């Protein structure tokens, strides 16, 4: 079995590596020459614990290589981004471009799978595209959708052990896709149709978005009521059937912050709760920025000088380098723009070495110098900072110190 993965990002590259470790000869394709060059040199261009060692292992074994263009294979996998266009309308142009790139290489008996998060009906549309360009393949190749389910930072384990939902355009396609994933997935493989599999991915992340929105809305209420939201949630969760999540400064990443829009764009009248949850989580970022700006102005009034402000974290969740749709990064940019004349800013993100927009400062240095410290991402190293006893103005949007600072 040999496979071609189109897209070597946060999901495509790890999946390709794991498949290559389990007996599949893999070609990984990306349009970015730098990604291809780094990958073939054994350097992981993303942060994922343990994955670089596996990359070097499969390169040395000759079961994996990266390239700029596809090649003939038994199976093709589309693992490219699906960004927005306009007013949160899903953009499947990358999926379409990736599909077109492999069409010349398809042959009878091949498997074609989309893993990219996609609006309902995308797999069927790509099947129509393939057959419009290669009508002789109709009924002779298998086409399916299989969404990823991984947690950044734990990808090696989850790619192997998590259950997968696999939906083909017909029963034979579903079985063909299941046969491939059995190479490396030890979790259960749940068969369905393509549309249900597509909606399953969107549903999973929309459900989480709604639950986070409840926690974020609760944090807004508690702020007005003078209640420690962290203590409140801890107490409420003592109920045997209550499990409230922890609030933050918003929701980011290319899953929870994006997938609900794929539903609301297609079914606006039927998805009001999902849309309201998105609005709450977006507002939480605006609210957090306002809290920081107000703290800066209060400090200037109380101390007669501009404060030094440390903005701690840019990634969308703890201990990763992924800044996609990150509320922390948006808050940092907003605050620095609005209060540029009122404060001196230091930006901290320990998981990246440089940023195009921000000059980065080491965490300990920023914390020591700062008068105001705003924790935007709950990175583990931040927990060891002496925030509680520092006497500084601490804005803990992540619950690192559970309201004790």
């Amino acid at each position: 079995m040999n496979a071609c993965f189109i897209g070597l990002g946060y999901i495509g590259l790890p999946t390709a590596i794991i498949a290559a470790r389990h007996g599949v000869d893999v070609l990984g394709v990306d349009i970015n020459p730098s990604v291809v060059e780094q990958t073939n040199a054994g350097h992981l261009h993303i942060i994922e614990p343990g994955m670089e060692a596996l990359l070097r292992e499969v390169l040395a074994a000759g079961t994996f290589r990266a390239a700029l263009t596809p090649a003939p294979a038994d199976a093709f996998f589309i693992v490219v981004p699906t960004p927005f266009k306009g007013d949160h309308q899903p953009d499947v142009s990358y999926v379409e471009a990736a599909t077109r790139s492999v069409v010349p290489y398809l042959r009878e008996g091949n498997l074609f799978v989309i893993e990219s998060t996609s609006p309902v009906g995308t797999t069927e549309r790509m099947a129509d595209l393939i057959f419009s360009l290669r009508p002789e393949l109709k009924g002779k190749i298998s086409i399916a959708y299989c969404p990823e389910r991984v947690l950044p930072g734990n990808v090696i384990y989850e790619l192997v052990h998590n259950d997968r939902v696999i939906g083909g355009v017909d029963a034979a396609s579903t079985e063909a896709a299941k046969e491939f994933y059995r190479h490396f997935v030890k979790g259960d493989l749940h068969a369905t149709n393509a549309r249900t599999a597509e909606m399953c991915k969107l549903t999973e992340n929309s459900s989480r978005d709604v639950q986070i929105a409840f926690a974020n809305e609760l944090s807004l209420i508690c702020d007005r009521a003078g209640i420690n939201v962290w203590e409140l949630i801890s107490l409420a969760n003592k109920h045997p059937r209550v499990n409230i999540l922890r609030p933050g400064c918003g929701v980011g990443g290319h899953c929870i912050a994006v997938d609900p829009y794929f539903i609301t764009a297609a079914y606006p009248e039927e998805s009001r709760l999902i849309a309201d949850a998105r609005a709450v989580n977006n507002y939480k970022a605006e609210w957090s920025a306002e809290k920081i700006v107000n703290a800066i102005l209060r400090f200037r009034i109380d101390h007669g000088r501009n404060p030094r402000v440390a903005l701690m974290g840019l990634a969308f969740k703890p201990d990763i380098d992924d800044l996609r749709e990150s509320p922390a990064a948006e808050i940092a940019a907003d605050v620095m723009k609005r209060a540029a004349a009122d404060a001196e800013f230091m930006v901290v993100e320990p998981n990246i070495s440089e940023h195009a927009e921000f000059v980065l400062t080491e965490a300990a240095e920023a914390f020591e110098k700062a008068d105001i410290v705003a924790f935007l991402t709950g990175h583990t190293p931040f927990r060891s900072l002496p925030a509680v006893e520092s006497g500084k103005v601490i804005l803990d949007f992540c619950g690192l110190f559970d309201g004790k600072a």
Side-chain angles (χ1 to χ4, degrees):
M1 169 68 73
N2 55 74
C4 180
F5 282 78
I6 311 297
L8 296 178
Y10 286 92
I11 302 301
L13 181 55
T15 307
I17 293 170
I18 294 297
R21 276 195 92 219
H22 289 80
V24 181
D25 289 327
V26 177
L27 174 68
V29 177
D30 201 280
I31 61 172
N32 186 332
S34 176
V35 168
V36 171
E37 182 179 348
Q38 288 183 66
T39 302
N40 281 331
H43 301 303
L44 205 69
H45 72 96
I46 59 175
I47 287 182
E48 185 57 48
M51 191 62 72
E52 187 165 272
L54 299 188
L55 170 61
R56 292 175 179 174
E57 177 185 317
V58 295
L59 285 169
T63 56
F64 174 83
R65 67 181 179 89
L68 291 168
T69 55
D74 299 314
F76 295 86
F77 295 83
I78 307 301
V79 201
V80 296
T82 42
F84 294 138
K85 60 182 179 181
D87 185 20
H88 293 113
Q89 299 295 311
D91 180 3
V92 296
S93 62
Y94 291 8
V95 173
E96 180 176 336
T99 300
R100 288 181 180 274
S101 75
V102 304
V103 167
Y105 303 96
L106 291 171
R107 61 194 180 203
E108 184 176 347
N110 276 175
L111 171 66
F112 173 89
V113 178
I114 299 174
E115 286 203 3
S116 303
T117 302
S118 302
V120 174
T122 299
T123 306
E124 294 168 344
R125 289 196 291 274
M126 292 307 107
D128 290 341
L129 172 62
I130 290 169
F131 298 139
S132 71
L133 298 172
R134 298 284 304 280
E136 77 278 8
L137 292 176
K138 193 163 188 176
K140 296 181 179 179
I141 64 172
S142 299
I143 299 177
Y145 182 80
C146 179
E148 53 82 14
R149 280 177 168 171
V150 295
L151 179 69
N154 196 36
V155 167
I156 293 175
Y157 178 86
E158 298 208 351
L159 275 174
V160 174
H161 294 278
N162 285 356
D163 289 6
R164 301 295 289 264
V165 173
I166 299 175
V169 295
D170 51 43
S173 294
T174 302
E175 288 305 312
K178 287 176 64 178
E179 183 177 347
F180 175 85
Y181 282 98
R182 285 194 186 101
H183 280 89
F184 62 90
V185 176
K186 294 182 179 178
D188 291 336
L189 303 177
H190 303 279
T192 184
N193 57 68
R195 282 180 168 250
T196 302
E198 290 164 342
M199 180 59 92
C200 187
K201 170 66 172 177
L202 305 180
T203 299
E204 291 165 5
N205 287 319
S206 296
S207 172
R208 296 174 68 199
D209 198 42
V210 170
Q211 293 175 64
I212 296 170
F214 178 79
N216 278 335
E217 189 168 272
L218 194 60
S219 73
L220 303 177
I221 296 168
C222 287
D223 184 72
R224 288 287 298 273
I227 295 170
N228 182 332
V229 68
W230 313 105
E231 179 186 5
L232 173 67
I233 290 174
S234 177
L235 293 172
N237 282 346
K238 303 299 183 185
H239 189 291
R241 289 171 295 281
V242 173
N243 184 25
I244 302 168
L245 302 182
R246 293 172 68 82
C249 64
V251 175
H254 200 63
C255 286
I256 302 177
V258 175
D259 294 2
Y261 289 120
F262 287 37
I263 296 178
T264 59
Y267 312 101
E269 293 301 317
E270 296 83 2
S271 57
R272 298 177 190 180
L273 176 62
I274 295 171
D276 286 346
R278 275 281 73 231
V280 168
N281 287 332
N282 285 338
Y283 173 69
K284 186 63 187 292
E286 299 172 14
W287 180 88
S288 300
E290 190 68 24
K291 293 286 282 189
I292 299 171
V293 171
N294 288 342
I296 291 170
L297 297 178
R298 172 54 58 188
F299 187 95
R300 293 184 72 228
I301 292 171
D302 292 344
H303 296 83
R305 65 175 176 84
N306 286 357
R308 290 160 296 188
V309 181
L311 302 173
M312 309 293 285
L314 294 175
F316 79 85
K317 65 185 297 182
D319 303 328
I320 63 171
D321 67 337
D322 195 344
L323 273 61
R324 291 178 297 175
E325 309 297 329
S326 173
E330 293 176 7
I331 291 166
D334 185 26
V335 169
M336 292 175 71
K337 180 179 179 180
R338 293 170 59 187
D342 301 317
E344 174 188 339
F345 291 100
M346 294 166 287
V347 178
V348 177
E349 178 44 67
N351 294 299
I352 60 176
S353 58
E354 60 183 12
H355 190 277
E357 184 177 356
F358 305 110
V359 175
L360 301 179
T361 305
E362 292 293 325
E365 178 187 349
F367 184 85
E368 181 181 353
K369 292 180 177 179
D371 302 299
I372 300 171
V373 184
F375 290 96
L376 304 177
T377 309
H379 293 310
T380 298
F382 295 166
R383 295 182 181 276
S384 61
L385 296 171
V388 176
E389 64 271 20
S390 67
K392 302 174 185 289
V393 178
I394 303 295
L395 300 173
D396 181 10
F397 297 106
C398 320
L400 282 169
F401 308 101
D402 289 345
K404 297 174 183 176

